[in-house]
Amino acid sequence: MTTAETDVPESATTPAYRDGNVLRWLTAYTASLVGDSVYFVALAWSAHQAAGPTEVGLVLAAGALPRAILMLGGGVLADRVDPRRVILGSDALRCVLILSVAAAVAVTAPDLWLLVAVALVFGVVDALFVPAIGALPPRITGPGQLARVTGMRSLSMRLSQIAGPPIGGLAMGLGGEAATFAVAGLLFAVSLPLLLTIRLRPLAEDADPGERADPGARAGKQPEPGTAREDLLDGLRYIRRHRLIGPLVAAGAVCELGLIGTLNVGMVLLNAERGWGPSGYGFIVSGFGAGAAVSAVLLTVAGWLPRAGLMLSGSLLVCCAGAATVALVPTLGTAVVLAVVIGLSAGLFGSLNNTLLQTAADPAYLGRVTSVVMLTMVGLAPLSYPLVGAAIGAWGAAPVFVGCGTVAVLGVAVTLSSGAVRHAQLPRPGGTS
């Protein structure tokens, strides 16, 4: 292990998009995310070839289950261990695992049991990777650049969603399952030398980080580590008691539960109900992605937005209103425009929420805070998928979209009822609050 972790990165006031330390992290993160997308193409297609459509769902669910169950434990580990080491270990394990699968698939057709086993192991490793990657940004740049880093991270996610599936499809067409798994493994390998060069800021530089976003919240002293269970319970108590973090996590959970199933499952069923066809669905999804990408670019370039707490509440309200009304519009063109608005407001809400959480959280708790936030996305939110599908089948799309949008508005009520959220501010890029 390199000694770079004890070095201080470039000036905390250097814009993140010019900071070599941040750019190396972003390149490694992007390679890893694209590798994820290619891996899922390889896994789903291999399952389809080995068995059938039902088994595709089984294999993908096998990966989601350990990710949801172990996510909180991954947060504890990220707070106990240098998060960069956790990320390095996770990507190294994924690299070895997927390249081994590529070698096995090259000599014999993959059995269903092998794909399930791979998905299970990959899900376990992901449960360690996700909280660690969320805990890393405050360690590679100054607090005034966290908004930009969040925007850049969002752009990276959009890029991986755009580039990953076509790369996987091209590899599948040229070399089959073995080549696709190999490409995914090599992308994980690309991230490793870049991660080794990242320099981390010492925790001592992050004194009282909660005060930057919420002057009334005390970060507190870093606790003495106990058992894993004690650390987990301590992290949950920290989230519940924190004036800013508690409401932000609660609002995000309500938003995910109310909107994700509607936008993912409901949009497909709405499209079928209206007869807009596959191309119509593609336009709607593209509109949502374009809006989210614009919000990421805005935050990356601006680096700071005024009245962050109120802007967060306003963007969530617009997102909820858009989601509630998109099933009421009569034409595809109007639905696409609304999808752009929903994507823009959802992206802005998510970016501000994430930035405020990272700015406010004591570094000793950031992994656990991230794990709770991500658990709502990979654990709670998917629970709404069958409910949304059944409800639309029974009552149609319009009342379900309106109902889910109304539920998500409760998240707005949570943020507006919290004085800490209403008065929350992002640190200025120049270093002042």
Side-chain angles (χ1 to χ4, degrees):
M1 182 64 60
T2 178
T3 59
E5 63 191 74
T6 61
D7 297 334
V8 178
E10 297 172 33
S11 172
T13 60
T14 301
Y17 50 77
R18 295 179 182 173
D19 187 338
N21 200 50
V22 172
L23 293 177
R24 289 191 296 273
W25 165 79
L26 186 68
T27 304
Y29 180 56
T30 303
S32 185
L33 287 180
V34 176
D36 275 344
S37 295
V38 174
Y39 156 75
F40 282 114
V41 170
L43 187 69
W45 185 257
S46 297
H48 179 70
Q49 294 292 94
T54 302
E55 285 72 16
V56 173
L58 172 65
V59 170
L60 295 181
L65 185 62
R67 188 183 303 117
I69 293 174
L70 300 175
M71 186 69 72
L72 295 180
V76 172
L77 181 65
D79 287 335
R80 285 188 164 203
V81 183
D82 176 354
R84 187 187 58 170
R85 295 183 182 181
V86 177
I87 297 168
L88 273 166
S90 300
D91 268 353
L93 284 173
R94 293 196 289 186
C95 177
V96 172
L97 172 68
I98 302 307
L99 289 180
S100 298
V101 174
V105 171
V107 297
T108 183
D111 292 325
L112 187 62
W113 69 265
L114 173 63
L115 299 176
V116 170
V118 170
L120 284 170
V121 175
F122 199 93
V124 170
V125 177
D126 244 13
L128 305 179
F129 176 84
V130 172
I133 203 70
L136 195 61
R139 299 289 303 278
I140 61 174
T141 190
Q145 295 299 319
L146 280 177
R148 283 197 171 109
V149 170
T150 299
M152 293 164 70
R153 183 180 173 188
S154 298
L155 279 175
S156 174
M157 294 171 65
R158 297 297 166 187
L159 175 63
S160 70
Q161 292 167 352
I162 294 170
I167 292 173
L170 180 62
M172 187 68 69
L174 295 176
E177 293 97 327
T180 312
F181 277 117
V183 169
L186 291 174
L187 284 165
F188 294 134
V190 167
S191 70
L192 297 176
L194 292 167
L195 290 169
L196 283 169
T197 65
I198 293 173
R199 293 164 290 157
L200 302 188
R201 301 169 67 234
L203 288 176
E205 294 186 14
D206 295 304
D208 293 335
E211 294 184 3
R212 297 176 184 131
D214 176 13
R218 293 186 303 169
K221 296 180 180 179
Q222 294 182 21
E224 293 294 329
T227 66
R229 180 177 180 276
E230 289 171 345
D231 283 357
L232 175 57
L233 293 176
D234 183 45
L236 295 176
R237 285 192 295 268
Y238 174 79
I239 293 171
R240 178 173 58 85
R241 294 171 179 172
H242 199 289
R243 289 174 48 195
L244 180 60
I245 294 176
L248 288 177
V249 170
V254 172
C255 175
E256 295 287 342
L257 197 59
L259 295 181
I260 293 301
T262 309
L263 297 177
N264 287 349
V265 177
M267 201 64 78
V268 175
L269 299 177
L270 171 65
N271 192 75
E273 186 179 285
R274 296 297 175 84
W276 291 332
S279 61
Y281 177 71
F283 281 123
I284 292 173
V285 173
S286 296
F288 183 89
V294 169
S295 71
V297 171
L298 172 65
L299 205 56
T300 300
V301 174
W304 181 83
L305 295 174
R307 296 181 176 273
L310 290 177
M311 189 169 290
L312 176 145
S313 301
S315 61
L316 180 55
L317 180 60
V318 171
C319 179
C320 295
T325 57
V326 70
L328 304 176
V329 300
T331 65
L332 174 61
T334 310
V336 172
V337 171
L338 266 179
V340 173
V341 174
I342 295 169
L344 177 62
S345 54
L348 192 57
F349 165 77
S351 295
L352 288 173
N353 188 287
N354 186 53
T355 305
L356 288 172
L357 286 172
Q358 291 192 330
T359 306
D362 187 312
Y365 288 96
L366 192 50
R368 281 164 284 182
V369 171
T370 302
S371 69
V372 171
V373 171
M374 294 306 300
L375 181 61
T376 64
M377 298 176 64
V378 303
L380 288 180
L383 296 178
S384 67
Y385 290 0
L387 298 178
V388 169
I392 291 178
W395 302 309
V400 175
F401 272 72
V402 172
C404 289
T406 303
V407 169
V409 168
L410 295 175
V412 182
V414 170
T415 61
L416 290 179
S417 65
S418 167
V421 176
R422 292 196 308 271
H423 296 98
Q425 298 280 3
L426 295 177
R428 289 183 181 274
T432 58
S433 301

